[in-house]
Amino acid sequence: MTQYFLTMPHDTADEPTMESMQEMDPAELEAMIAAVDGFNTALNESGSFVTAGGLQPPSTAITVDATGGEVKRVAAPFVDATEYVGGFWIIDVADEETALGWAERASAALQSRIEVRALQEAPA
């Protein structure tokens, strides 16, 4: 089994949060929440679920750099980007094709693109 990191992009200009989602059309929000709940339930029932979460927007990030003589803390993300990872799942599945199938289901539920990457395994 291999673990895969499924990520969902957000637009940096919008920085959507759980609070801002309340501004969506209530019927659309309810449908999306139901679709994601169905996806999460299926993922759990399959035994593939490891963990998942949503991230606060980059404007809340603090970058720590202790590589030099002085530790620096900068109130900013370490990369300026037009998009950022807004949420994620880590799943444990037999192969990449299975991970891609789950990503397709997540994409349909969220109406968003989903990036899939395998986690690195320790060398043998």
Side-chain angles (χ1 to χ4, degrees):
M1 301 287 275
T2 302
Q3 290 188 341
Y4 288 86
F5 188 50
L6 280 55
T7 56
M8 164 184 45
H10 284 314
D11 187 316
T12 300
D14 296 337
E15 287 199 341
T17 61
M18 294 302 287
E19 291 79 23
S20 69
M21 286 175 55
Q22 300 306 311
E23 298 168 11
M24 289 176 62
D25 173 85
E28 288 179 22
L29 179 60
E30 186 176 322
M32 183 182 70
I33 289 171
V36 172
D37 185 53
F39 171 78
N40 286 332
T41 298
L43 192 58
N44 271 298
E45 288 175 354
S46 76
S48 299
F49 179 83
V50 175
T51 192
L55 301 172
Q56 293 292 337
S59 62
T60 67
I62 300 171
T63 300
V64 177
D65 184 353
T67 61
E70 178 184 335
V71 175
K72 297 177 186 171
R73 295 180 182 178
V74 179
F78 70 93
V79 173
D80 286 325
T82 58
E83 294 179 310
Y84 65 96
V85 174
F88 68 92
W89 290 268
I90 295 179
I91 62 173
D92 195 10
V93 294
D95 53 41
E96 183 177 85
E97 192 57 39
T98 304
L100 293 171
W102 282 111
E104 290 170 4
R105 293 175 72 173
S107 177
L110 286 164
Q111 293 298 293
S112 175
R113 296 170 294 141
I114 301 294
E115 180 182 309
V116 178
R117 285 198 270 167
L119 275 63
Q120 293 185 27
E121 295 180 20

